[in-house]
């Protein structure tokens, strides 16, 4: 899925989300998380959720849709991508 930042720059949304998830959870760089893998297995909780949202907003120059700020609603890379895709910056429907 391609995401257009506010400055018009296209980015690979899934790659950015995976990178930010790894940083928020302080995972080794070689850790690969499947799109539908539950992040709770890596310690994803409300605190790391907020860290992740802040990282994503900075990296993507966007506002995270706050209606999705429930850990259970964004507990996989795929769900996070879908939540961001509800915002005006996403193009395409594939994750």
């Amino acid at each position: 899925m391609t995401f257009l930042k506010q400055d018009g720059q296209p980015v690979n949304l899934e790659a950015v989300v995976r990178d930010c998830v790894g940083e928020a959870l302080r995972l080794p760089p070689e850790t690969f998380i499947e799109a539908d893998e539950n992040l709770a297995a890596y310690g994803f909780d409300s605190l790391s959720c907020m860290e992740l949202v802040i990282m994503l907003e900075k990296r993507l120059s966007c506002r995270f849709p706050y209606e999705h700020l429930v850990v259970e609603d964004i507990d996989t890379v795929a769900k996070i991508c879908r939540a961001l895709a509800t915002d005006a910056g996403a193009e395409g429907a594939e994750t």
Side-chain angles (χ1 to χ4, degrees), residues 45-62:
D45 58 15
S46 59
L47 181 58
S48 53
C49 177
M50 292 310 299
E51 286 183 58
L52 174 63
V53 166
I54 291 167
M55 281 184 212
L56 288 169
E57 288 183 336
K58 286 181 181 176
R59 186 94 41 103
L60 296 171
S61 303
C62 72

Side-chain angles (χ1 to χ4, degrees), residues 17 34-39 74-82:
V17 169
E34 294 293 333
D36 291 321
E37 190 172 356
N38 193 306
L39 299 176
I74 55 170
D75 60 358
T76 68
V77 169
K79 286 181 181 179
I80 295 166
C81 289
R82 281 192 294 275

Side-chain angles (χ1 to χ4, degrees), residues 14-15 18 27-37 39 42 77:
E14 190 171 321
R18 272 200 175 96
L27 299 174
E30 65 274 3
T31 303
F32 183 82
I33 300 172
E34 294 293 333
D36 291 321
E37 190 172 356
L39 299 176
Y42 297 95
V77 169

